[in-house]
Amino acid sequence: MKIRAIINVKVGSPIIPRNIKDPSGQFGNLRNANAQLVKRYASIKKGVRALISSFSPVIVTNAAVYEYQLDAQRYNSINLFLQQLLYDDLLDNQQGAFTNRWWLNANLTSAYTDGTSDALQSAKNIAVVDIVGQEISQQVRGTQLEQIVFSQGFQSRVGLIQSRVFEEMKGLSDSTKTDLANTLARGMASGKGVKALTKDVMKRVDVSHSRSKRIVRTEILNAYRTATAAETDVLNEDVYADSDWGMLQLWFSALAPTSRPNHVIKHGETYTTQEVREFYTLAANAINCLCSQSPVLANKKTGEILQKPLQERMRKAKTTYQKTFGLVKKKAA
C-alpha cells in the first residue's frame, strides 16, 4: 500500500518516553543498582580499614616515619585478602566464578525485559490492520510477552549479557585489587602512618566505585537497547519478511545538557538495527549513553516511515536543543 493512499488511516505510535531525560525508563532500575553499589563499597571500605589497622607499624623517627614488616609473603597475603574482599562484595563469589545469584543479574534482566516489552508494545501499536493487513496485524498483536520471556532464545540472550557484564566487573575487581595493593605497598615503603595510608587507599576505592557505576549504568541501558533491537529483528524476520513493510528504529536522545552532539543529531532519525549496533561499537559511544530506540513502520521500497508527525516533532525538539546549546552552525554571511 502506498503511503499517500493511507493518509487518512490512523498509523499508530510507538512507545514514547514519558521523560525525555530518561528515554529507556531505566532511572529506577539504575537507582536500585547504584544503591547496591553504595552498600557493597561501604563493606569494601570497612574491610580495607580493618586490614590497614592490623599493620601495627613501628615509629622510626620523630613520630613522622613508620616502618612496616612487609615482605613477599605479607604482600601476597594482602593481595589475597583484597581479592577475596572484592570478589565477595562485587561478584558474590570469593572464587570469582559467575553464578546465577550474582546481584546485578536482576537489574540486567529487568532492563532486558523492559526493552522487549516496549519494543513489542510499539510493534503492536503500529501494526494497523488497514496498513499491514489482517494476518500480520493478528500475528504481531497476538504475541504475548510471556511467550518471549520464557523462550529459550530470550533466556540465552539474557544469560549472555549477564555473563559478559560479570566478566567486566571481574576485570574491575582485579584491577582494583592491584591498585589497592600497590597503593598500600608504596605508602608502607615510604613510611606513611595508618591514617595517611587509609586516606590514600580510600581515594582509590572511590575511583573503583566511580568506574563500577559507569559499568552498571552503561550495561543496564545497553541491555534495554539490545532487547529492543533483538525484538525488532525477530518481528522483521518472522512476520514482515514477505511484506511491503518493515520496522526501523526511531532514535530518542535524552537531549540533556551532557548529551554528546553525535548522539543528539540522531534524535528523530531512523536506522536499521545493524546501523544502531555499529554505532555502539565505535569509540566510547555506548558508555553512559541514555539514548533509546523504538520500532516504527517503514515502506521497504521508499524507506519512508508512517510515523512522520512524531518524527517531525522530534526533529523540531532537536533543533531547539541544538540552538539552546549552540550546536547549530550559523550560515556564512
Side-chain angles (χ1 to χ4, degrees):
M1 186 182 295
K2 295 181 179 180
I3 288 183
R4 59 174 172 272
I6 56 175
I7 291 177
N8 295 322
V9 175
K10 185 176 181 181
V11 297
S13 175
I15 295 291
I16 299 174
R18 295 181 178 179
N19 179 359
I20 189 60
K21 295 180 180 179
D22 179 24
S24 62
Q26 293 303 302
F27 277 4
N29 194 4
L30 288 169
R31 188 163 51 248
N32 292 337
N34 284 326
Q36 275 283 331
L37 281 178
V38 168
K39 292 179 181 178
R40 289 168 184 273
Y41 271 92
S43 177
I44 290 170
K45 285 186 173 182
K46 181 179 179 181
V48 172
R49 286 194 181 97
L51 171 66
I52 297 174
S53 66
S54 70
F55 289 166
S56 302
V58 176
I59 299 174
V60 179
T61 55
N62 301 323
V65 178
Y66 296 80
E67 185 176 274
Y68 297 83
Q69 297 300 317
L70 182 64
D71 53 21
Q73 184 176 355
R74 185 66 188 278
Y75 184 71
N76 287 335
S77 69
I78 289 173
N79 268 279
L80 180 60
F81 175 88
L82 291 172
Q83 182 182 72
Q84 292 180 340
L85 176 66
L86 290 162
Y87 278 11
D88 194 41
D89 282 315
L90 296 183
L91 306 181
D92 286 331
N93 189 324
Q94 288 192 4
Q95 302 305 313
F98 177 72
T99 169
N100 290 330
R101 297 186 301 276
W102 185 42
W103 67 274
L104 193 56
N105 285 349
N107 301 97
L108 294 170
T109 300
S110 177
Y112 198 92
T113 303
D114 286 348
T116 302
S117 176
D118 286 351
L120 179 59
Q121 188 57 56
S122 292
K124 289 181 178 184
N125 292 351
I126 62 180
V128 179
V129 175
D130 291 340
I131 300 172
V132 302
Q134 185 73 34
E135 183 178 351
I136 288 179
S137 182
Q138 286 183 342
Q139 275 186 274
V140 176
R141 296 185 176 187
T143 303
Q144 300 301 314
L145 179 62
E146 291 75 13
Q147 295 174 242
I148 301 172
V149 170
F150 291 107
S151 69
Q152 184 59 47
F154 180 94
Q155 296 298 325
S156 296
R157 291 191 293 272
V158 171
L160 178 60
I161 289 175
Q162 291 173 344
S163 59
R164 180 183 58 76
V165 178
F166 178 87
E167 287 302 316
E168 191 173 358
M169 193 67 81
K170 182 179 179 181
L172 172 64
S173 300
D174 290 339
S175 64
T176 297
K177 180 262 297 183
T178 300
D179 186 22
L180 298 185
N182 288 343
T183 300
L184 280 170
R186 287 193 299 268
M188 293 165 75
S190 62
K192 289 187 176 183
V194 169
K195 186 175 181 180
L197 267 181
T198 302
K199 183 178 179 180
D200 289 346
V201 175
M202 289 304 113
K203 287 181 180 178
R204 303 315 303 168
V205 174
D206 287 339
V207 170
S208 177
H209 190 178
S210 294
R211 289 176 60 195
S212 70
K213 286 195 292 186
R214 186 175 69 179
I215 290 173
V216 165
R217 176 169 171 156
T218 296
E219 296 300 349
I220 284 178
L221 296 172
N222 182 60
Y224 178 92
R225 290 191 296 266
T226 299
T228 300
E231 188 58 26
T232 299
D233 283 340
V234 167
L235 291 173
N236 274 336
E237 294 168 7
D238 295 350
V239 180
Y240 285 104
D242 299 323
S243 170
D244 292 333
W245 302 96
M247 293 190 298
L248 294 176
Q249 292 201 296
L250 180 63
W251 195 289
F252 289 89
S253 169
L255 299 183
T258 55
S259 293
R260 285 161 279 188
N262 63 328
H263 291 235
V264 170
I265 200 170
K266 292 182 175 296
H267 186 73
E269 307 304 326
T270 54
Y271 303 90
T272 65
T273 55
Q274 185 57 33
E275 288 172 331
V276 173
R277 291 188 183 98
E278 288 175 356
F279 175 80
Y280 283 115
T281 63
L282 300 175
N285 285 334
I287 296 177
N288 284 332
C289 176
L290 294 173
C291 299
S292 71
Q293 299 80 35
S294 292
V296 289
L297 207 58
N299 184 289
K300 289 181 180 178
K301 293 181 180 179
T302 66
E304 291 184 86
I305 68 170
L306 292 181
Q307 287 70 32
K308 279 288 186 182
L310 171 60
Q311 185 176 46
E312 289 306 314
R313 291 196 301 273
M314 292 176 66
R315 285 174 172 172
K316 287 180 181 179
K318 174 174 61 179
T319 299
T320 299
Y321 171 93
Q322 290 172 322
K323 288 180 178 178
T324 301
F325 290 92
L327 299 180
V328 177
K329 295 181 178 179
K330 296 181 179 178
K331 294 182 180 179

